[in-house]
Amino acid sequence: MEDRVRVVIAEDSVLLREGLTRLLTDRGHEVVAGVGDGEALIKTITELDGQGELPDVVVADVRMPPTHTDEGVRAAVQLRKAHPGLGVLVLSQYVEERYATELLAGSSRGVGYLLKDRVAEVREFVDAVVRVAQGGTALDPEVVAQLLGRSRKQDVLAGLTPREREVLGLMAEGRTNSAIARQLVVSDGAVEKHVSNIFLKLGLSQSDGDHRRVLAVLTYLNS
């Protein structure tokens, strides 16, 4: 498969870990390892990297043993610093703004934050894994809504219209211009105009290239 990716899963629930493995392997992807805590995740990635077999993406629970607080996301942040090319998609039971912001504070490529309920939407979940593995972003709509809700209070966003905020929220979910146009029932040209206005108002110049989409989202989240 052209989009076939290699995945490491970090989830302390054996049942969920096996379920995620089945979802991915049934669709032609390779799960190279499954672990139950953050320490084992870091050790596994380090060993695979030493063998020249670094996976494309890690799917990790935010909360893992021993304290079930932030072990998963801390391991994810550490791995992103050590392996910038490694995609990281974290799963959480609830929207935890601090963890989402911490994860998004580094490199803008290959990052995702989804609620566990989203796994039930199998196609969207697998698409998110592939997108993150290929260097894209995948942010749960609920995560985006909460983070953007907080960000709307900031002056840097004052110049955006409600429609531009809506477009940026869909951009943060990893949607293309065409997908945004379908969602909002407008033309592709209208979306392109909104996106250009967002870049202009957030001070993202043409020289930022394709990364302007992610930089625009990060401007929201870090404002």
Side-chain angles (χ1 to χ4, degrees), residues 1 3-5 23-30:
M1 295 176 59
D3 292 334
R4 182 173 181 267
V5 297
L23 287 180
L24 292 167
T25 55
D26 280 355
R27 283 153 185 80
H29 304 295
E30 180 185 1

Side-chain angles (χ1 to χ4, degrees), residues 181 186-194:
V186 298
S187 68
D188 287 1
V191 173
E192 290 175 5
K193 183 177 180 180
H194 287 312

